[in-house]
Amino acid sequence: QKEVEQNSGPLSVPEGAIASLNCTYSDRGSQSFFWYRQYSGKSPELIMFIYSNGDKEDGRFTAQLNKASQYVSLLIRDSQPSDSATYLCAVNYGGSQGNLIFGKGTKLSVKP
Amino acid sequence: ETGVTQTPRHLVMGMTNKKSLKCEQHLGHNAMYWYKQSAKKPLELMFVYNFKEQTENNSVPSRFSPECPNSSHLFLHLHTLQPEDSALYLCASSRSSGANTGELFFGEGSRLTVL
């Protein structure tokens, strides 16, 4: 059974701090990794993707991938109250749309 | 119009009713999806269409019947549903299949309640 695990939270951080969201996956054959943000009552929106080991930065967001440890994370620097949302980790096990598996999501709360 | 639009946004139906959910994408994508989102559960893939052809049916009960007349439109026909089918049904699209597929664009969803 291929799985994507996330701590459901809530993760609470003060405004301006770094929020660290973590995700582990079970299948070593995984090829691509995605972070989606879902505001309450809204649909998920893609914010980051990463395909290779290491870090990928986009503005205040950094995705980190460690395939040896089967671990992917999302760092949000200078967290803002507007970052409060549920963050979904998704992993593609390879080759087709049907192989995209989502985690349950981590709820992040940024306190002013 | 832009993006992925879904109608209706909210639907209440009895167990014996027949209804349909509609999805339309204006992004020029070739793949469309139906996902189910229930409380405390991960997003569950239901169906995938690529260039109008169904490529995935993720063991979905036959009371859910998808239809994809063209690459821009996707329907989910509902009949004799159960209360446990109450959930948010999300439509998504993407450019095409491939090893890095996962860049999905979601609609706002249709909130379904089955009485």
Side-chain angles (χ1 to χ4, degrees):
Chain A
Q1 177 95 4
K2 295 179 174 62
E3 294 183 332
V4 175
E5 299 286 343
Q6 295 182 257
N7 188 323
S8 61
L11 174 65
S12 185
V13 301
E15 184 174 357
I18 295 176
S20 178
L21 303 159
N22 304 314
C23 172
T24 59
Y25 57 95
S26 61
D27 195 294
R28 289 191 174 274
S30 303
Q31 298 186 4
S32 48
F33 308 84
F34 305 85
W35 283 100
Y36 284 81
R37 178 177 62 200
Q38 186 171 22
Y39 291 114
S40 180
K42 299 292 187 181
S43 59
E45 59 176 328
L46 180 68
I47 55 171
M48 289 286 288
F49 57 85
I50 186 165
Y51 304 143
S52 304
N53 270 332
D55 293 0
K56 179 182 178 182
E57 187 174 319
D58 183 2
R60 294 187 297 113
F61 298 94
T62 299
Q64 299 175 317
L65 175 61
N66 184 328
K67 289 188 177 181
S69 300
Q70 296 174 231
Y71 178 93
V72 58
S73 64
L74 179 70
L75 301 178
I76 306 175
R77 290 182 299 282
D78 188 24
S79 295
Q80 302 297 309
S82 59
D83 294 325
S84 299
T86 296
Y87 289 80
L88 308 176
C89 174
V91 175
N92 191 314
Y93 289 95
S96 76
Q97 303 98 325
N99 289 328
L100 186 67
I101 307 295
F102 282 84
K104 293 182 181 180
T106 297
K107 186 171 183 178
L108 173 66
S109 178
V110 181
K111 304 295 187 184
Chain B
E1 292 203 50
T2 58
V4 181
T5 56
Q6 290 187 241
T7 55
R9 295 292 309 278
H10 300 273
L11 178 62
V12 179
M13 58 187 291
M15 293 168 60
T16 57
N17 291 162
K18 290 184 180 182
K19 297 286 185 182
S20 295
L21 307 180
K22 178 183 175 182
C23 177
E24 183 174 1
Q25 60 96 0
H26 307 273
L27 300 169
H29 289 166
N30 296 311
M32 296 187 77
Y33 313 72
W34 281 116
Y35 279 89
K36 176 183 179 183
Q37 189 171 39
S38 305
K40 309 295 184 186
K41 290 186 177 181
L43 273 170
E44 299 173 59
L45 178 66
M46 300 176 72
F47 301 104
V48 181
Y49 279 82
N50 198 28
F51 292 95
K52 302 189 303 177
E53 299 297 320
Q54 185 173 313
T55 57
E56 296 281 344
N57 177 339
N58 211 22
S59 302
V60 180
S62 60
R63 57 186 183 270
F64 295 92
S65 175
E67 179 190 359
C68 188
N70 54 61
S71 293
S72 298
H73 294 86
L74 185 64
F75 296 89
L76 187 62
H77 304 300
L78 316 169
H79 62 99
T80 59
L81 295 190
Q82 306 298 310
E84 60 265 28
D85 297 322
S86 299
L88 181 67
Y89 289 84
L90 290 162
C91 175
S93 69
S94 69
R95 288 183 182 85
S96 66
S97 62
N100 293 330
T101 297
E103 299 173 36
L104 304 179
F105 292 79
F106 285 91
E108 289 297 322
S110 294
R111 173 70 63 183
L112 173 66
T113 302
V114 182
L115 302 176

